Amino acid sequence: MHHSGFKLITIKEVKSQYPFLIDHEGFDYFDEWEEGDLFLVAHESVNFEGNFYSDLYEDKEKKWLANVLNLPLKEMEDLRIEGVLINGNLSVSGTIINAEGDYGPYVFIKGDVSCQSMLLGGSYVEIEGNVTAKEVVMTSYNHGNFKCAGCIEAPVFIVEDHYTTVADRKNDLFYYNDKTDEMNPKDECEYDEDSDEEVISTELRKHLDNPFITTFEELKRELEEGELVLKESNPPPKNQEYWQKRVSSNYRDLKVVPLQFKTTALCEMALNKTYHALAFVEEDFITSELCEKLVSKDGFALQVIPEPFITEELCWKAAESGTLVSLIPGRFYTEELIITTFKKGRNEPNINDVPSEFITDSLLEAYVKIGKGLWLDKVCKENGRDKISILKRVIDSGIEHLDPVFGNHFSKEVADYAAFVYESKNQREWSSYVQKYKVKFERLGLNEYLF
């Protein structure tokens, strides 16, 4: 939708036309703007249909802005838009959205703001007038700043770990601010051990249209979508196609899908994207076959499998697919399973995860052969094992294993022993290893092996 009220002007022009902004703290907060960088500016009040997005660094929002300004997307891609300035009132029929919590452009609005809801994250936002929202004003995460010289009038006002300063507020349904002491204890969140999350107060949940929303993060995702969230607003009903799109975009939204739309096909789609979606399916959907399928596809899925479904066979499947020793229950540990997990893993094996009763010479030998053996010294000392003896075992097992030994555990004693074993009987191969690690031999003064 083209909107002629907005223009892109340079920061140099902004300083010339609105010089008072230069003294504002949020204006070029990090002193990194260039004079040729841009602001999205409206020189007078604006009425805007739909949602208004201020995350103008992001690709999705640049596409939206290209449509607003009727500019080619390719032209928008290379522009650096550092701020939004509205020299008047801003009236938005939808939600004002700054979804990115870590950063965002500087926003200055000279007058009043009215909207359906407002979600602020990492931007530095200054509003000199009042803010009137039909539903929710929410500020979230401590990388952002919000200063309002007027009144925040909204049924729900939430300040979640955010630097928010307002002159006045009027909130009839719910108020939460974890940066002050004025909050009612019954409005505070409660920690839930099962989910390891902070669950929002029942005082807020009783006003939400979707009963499956239990965290601020889930509420934020609804606001990011521009949705109506309060029962009092009587939001329009959603259909299967809507939830299909939501879950396809973010598997976590499976948690808030009403049961009548939480079909087998929807759950399977989410699980095909990531095993983490298993936490949001219903218990009767989980079967041994499903768990085997997930673990065979990705061994790390073992971490989300419910305890009753974890068997020794399943742990072997996880090991073969690539997982961590720490994700396997200790009751299933064997040396063979641990070594398989090390061999098939995507990451450097972490032998610190292995209980001391399984630290044997043969396990340490396999550990050296598989990877860099970063923790060999530490583990040998802690478990009374002789490191040199382990390395000699590796050397004895075949000349092809000199790479991990020379590459990661080179010493004079190691070099001398390897020469004793291979210099005569495998002269050609031995010479190739000496040349490959010539710098290490020279560094230790082992020049006798270089000729």
Side-chain angles (χ1 to χ4, degrees), residues 83 91 308:
S91 177

Side-chain angles (χ1 to χ4, degrees), residues 197-442:
E197 291 183 317
E198 292 288 331
V199 175
I200 57 180
S201 163
T202 54
E203 292 300 310
L204 174 58
R205 292 172 65 185
K206 70 184 182 183
H207 295 296
L208 298 179
D209 182 65
N210 188 331
F212 298 105
I213 295 174
T214 61
T215 68
F216 282 138
E217 191 63 34
E218 290 159 5
L219 178 58
K220 281 165 58 179
R221 292 205 299 273
E222 296 299 311
L223 296 176
E224 288 174 27
E225 294 289 330
E227 297 292 350
L228 292 166
V229 297
L230 301 180
K231 288 179 182 177
E232 288 80 353
S233 299
N234 194 25
K238 314 293 193 304
N239 57 24
Q240 190 71 51
E241 182 181 0
Y242 169 86
W243 289 113
Q244 186 89 6
K245 183 178 179 181
R246 282 285 300 271
V247 174
S248 178
S249 175
N250 189 332
Y251 75 90
R252 292 180 179 85
D253 285 336
L254 186 63
K255 178 180 179 292
V256 301
V257 176
L259 294 179
Q260 67 267 34
F261 299 114
K262 209 171 191 177
T263 62
T264 297
L266 188 65
C267 293
E268 288 178 345
M269 181 192 74
L271 288 168
N272 282 334
K273 287 180 172 293
T274 173
Y275 59 79
H276 289 292
L278 190 67
F280 307 128
V281 305
E282 302 306 302
E283 287 187 8
D284 57 4
F285 181 79
I286 303 175
T287 63
S288 297
E289 292 74 21
L290 174 63
C291 294
E292 288 181 14
K293 180 181 177 182
L294 293 175
V295 166
S296 296
K297 182 179 179 182
D298 188 335
F300 278 74
L302 192 64
Q303 64 189 301
V304 302
I305 302 298
E307 179 63 28
F309 293 95
I310 299 180
T311 63
E312 183 177 2
E313 181 183 2
L314 192 69
C315 292
W316 270 99
K317 288 183 181 294
E320 291 288 348
S321 300
T323 191
L324 300 175
V325 170
S326 59
L327 298 181
I328 299 174
R331 65 183 182 274
F332 298 123
Y333 283 176
T334 64
E335 183 173 303
E336 185 182 3
L337 179 59
I338 293 169
I339 291 174
T340 300
T341 305
F342 281 174
K343 286 181 177 179
K344 300 288 187 176
R346 311 169 200 161
N347 306 310
E348 178 68 22
N350 189 352
I351 202 165
N352 294 305
D353 292 335
V354 179
S356 58
E357 60 264 33
F358 291 98
I359 301 295
T360 63
D361 286 356
S362 55
L363 180 72
L364 291 172
E365 181 183 341
Y367 174 61
V368 170
K369 291 177 181 178
I370 291 166
K372 295 180 180 179
L374 298 175
W375 302 100
L376 184 62
D377 279 340
K378 175 178 178 290
V379 172
C380 285
K381 289 176 183 177
E382 290 178 349
N383 293 275
R385 301 286 171 176
D386 182 55
K387 174 185 172 182
I388 294 299
S389 296
I390 300 300
L391 295 175
K392 286 181 177 180
R393 285 171 61 107
V394 176
I395 292 169
D396 287 336
S397 66
I399 194 169
E400 66 273 14
H401 298 302
L402 289 186
D403 266 328
V405 176
F406 282 6
N408 305 301
H409 309 282
F410 195 85
S411 68
K412 183 179 186 305
E413 191 169 0
V414 163
D416 287 343
Y417 185 76
F420 170 76
V421 175
Y422 295 115
E423 189 174 22
S424 297
K425 68 177 183 180
N426 298 82
Q427 189 172 12
R428 178 178 293 181
E429 289 180 86
W430 167 253
S431 295
S432 68
Y433 280 107
V434 171
Q435 288 303 310
K436 183 175 181 179
Y437 295 99
K438 180 180 178 181
V439 173
K440 293 191 176 188
F441 278 89
E442 290 176 337

Side-chain angles (χ1 to χ4, degrees), residues 42-62:
H43 294 294
E44 55 189 15
S45 296
V46 174
N47 293 313
F48 194 90
E49 288 294 320
N51 298 323
F52 187 88
Y53 300 92
S54 66
D55 289 313
L56 302 181
Y57 302 147
E58 310 301 320
D59 291 341
K60 176 184 173 183
E61 282 70 21
K62 281 191 174 184

Side-chain angles (χ1 to χ4, degrees), residues 63-74:
K63 185 176 181 179
W64 165 82
L65 185 58
N67 190 36
V68 170
L69 298 177
N70 196 27
L71 292 174
L73 179 58
K74 188 171 182 60

Side-chain angles (χ1 to χ4, degrees), residues 70-81:
N70 196 27
L71 292 174
L73 179 58
K74 188 171 182 60
E75 183 178 327
M76 289 293 305
E77 289 174 350
D78 297 326
L79 299 180
R80 285 176 54 90
I81 303 173

